[in-house]
Amino acid sequence: MHPAQVEDTLFQVPVRQLKQSEYFLSMVKEMSTKLEPEARESKSPIPLSGVSALEMESFLTALGASFLFGDPNLSFAQWAAALRLATIWSFDDVRERIIAQMDPILHTANPFDQIDASLNCRVEKWLYLAYEALCSRKNGLTEDEAERLGIRRATAIWRIRESLRPGRGWSQGGSVNQKALALVKNEGALKYS
C-alpha cells in the first residue's frame, strides 16, 4: 500500500493497482528520484490535487471491490466520481468495469448528471440518451437547467422540442422518444465533443 494525500485525508492505495496507470507510475518514479534514500523508505504520500475525498473514496471502492468482494452498491454519483478519476488517471480496465456497472443504473440519474458524467468521462453513448430525455419530457427546460446546459445546447433542445410538437412535419409513425433521439443525433450543437 502507498499513501495518497487528498484534501486533509490520507488514503492507502494498493501499489499493485497503481502500476496499471501511467499517470501514477510516472508520479511515483519522479517522487522517488527526488527523495533522499531515507525518505523513499518512509513512503511519502502522493499529493493529489483537484480530487475530492468523496471521489477518492468512490474510486478506491470501485478499484478494490471487484477484486475482493464483488461489485459494490454505489450510487450513480459515486460511480461517476470513480469513473472521472479512472478516466483522468488512465486506469483503462477499471474505467471499462465502471462503465459496465453504470450502464444498468443510468436511468436512476437525472439527465443533467448523465450529461455531466458523459462529457467529463468521455462516454458518448450516454450523452444522446440524456438529451433525448430532455427533448421528450413533458416540461421544457427551466431557467436554471438552460443555464447549466449553456446557450447552444439549450437552444438545440428547444428547437428539437418545437419540431416534435404536433403538426410540425413528423409522420405519425414511431414514438416521440425515437423521433427525439433521431433529431438529437443530427443536431450539431448536441454532438459529443
Side-chain angles (χ1 to χ4, degrees):
M1 300 293 253
H2 195 94
Q5 176 89 38
V6 177
E7 296 174 334
D8 295 331
T9 307
L10 274 180
F11 290 92
Q12 293 298 320
V13 182
V15 175
R16 184 185 92 230
Q17 289 159 326
L18 283 181
K19 292 177 182 176
Q20 296 176 26
S21 166
E22 286 297 321
Y23 176 88
F24 279 106
L25 273 176
S26 63
M27 183 181 288
V28 170
K29 284 179 186 175
E30 182 181 323
M31 284 180 64
S32 66
T33 57
K34 289 181 179 178
L35 298 174
E36 298 297 321
E38 306 85 44
R40 274 186 229 144
E41 296 300 318
S42 71
K43 291 189 178 180
S44 297
I46 299 170
L48 299 173
S49 59
V51 175
S52 73
L54 172 74
E55 288 175 316
M56 188 65 174
E57 186 176 326
S58 298
F59 175 75
L60 290 175
T61 300
L63 182 66
S66 61
F67 299 110
L68 303 175
F69 320 110
D71 297 319
N73 187 19
L74 298 177
S75 69
F76 182 86
Q78 290 169 309
W79 280 118
L83 180 59
R84 185 179 93 78
L85 297 186
T87 300
I88 63 174
W89 291 338
S90 303
F91 281 91
D92 297 332
D93 290 344
V94 174
R95 183 178 185 284
E96 292 306 314
R97 284 199 316 269
I98 292 172
I99 290 170
Q101 289 297 313
M102 292 177 75
D103 280 340
I105 63 166
L106 193 61
H107 69 280
T108 66
N110 74 52
F112 297 95
D113 292 339
Q114 292 175 22
I115 292 166
D116 290 345
S118 175
L119 294 172
N120 291 333
C121 303
R122 301 187 316 259
V123 185
E124 186 174 4
K125 65 183 178 179
W126 297 342
L127 190 60
Y128 298 124
L129 296 174
Y131 288 142
E132 176 268 320
L134 293 176
C135 291
S136 57
R137 73 182 187 179
K138 183 177 180 176
N139 297 321
L141 296 174
T142 66
E143 190 175 316
D144 288 340
E145 291 172 338
E147 190 173 311
R148 185 171 175 182
L149 284 173
I151 191 73
R152 290 188 68 229
R153 289 188 173 109
T155 55
I157 298 291
W158 178 81
R159 278 192 305 272
I160 292 169
R161 288 180 58 81
E162 279 297 303
S163 70
L164 292 172
R165 290 177 55 198
R168 297 286 176 161
W170 273 102
S171 65
Q172 294 298 330
S175 73
V176 170
N177 292 21
Q178 290 171 327
K179 294 171 189 175
L181 188 56
L183 290 168
V184 162
K185 287 183 176 181
N186 289 320
E187 175 59 55
L190 300 179
K191 295 271 189 230
Y192 182 78
S193 55

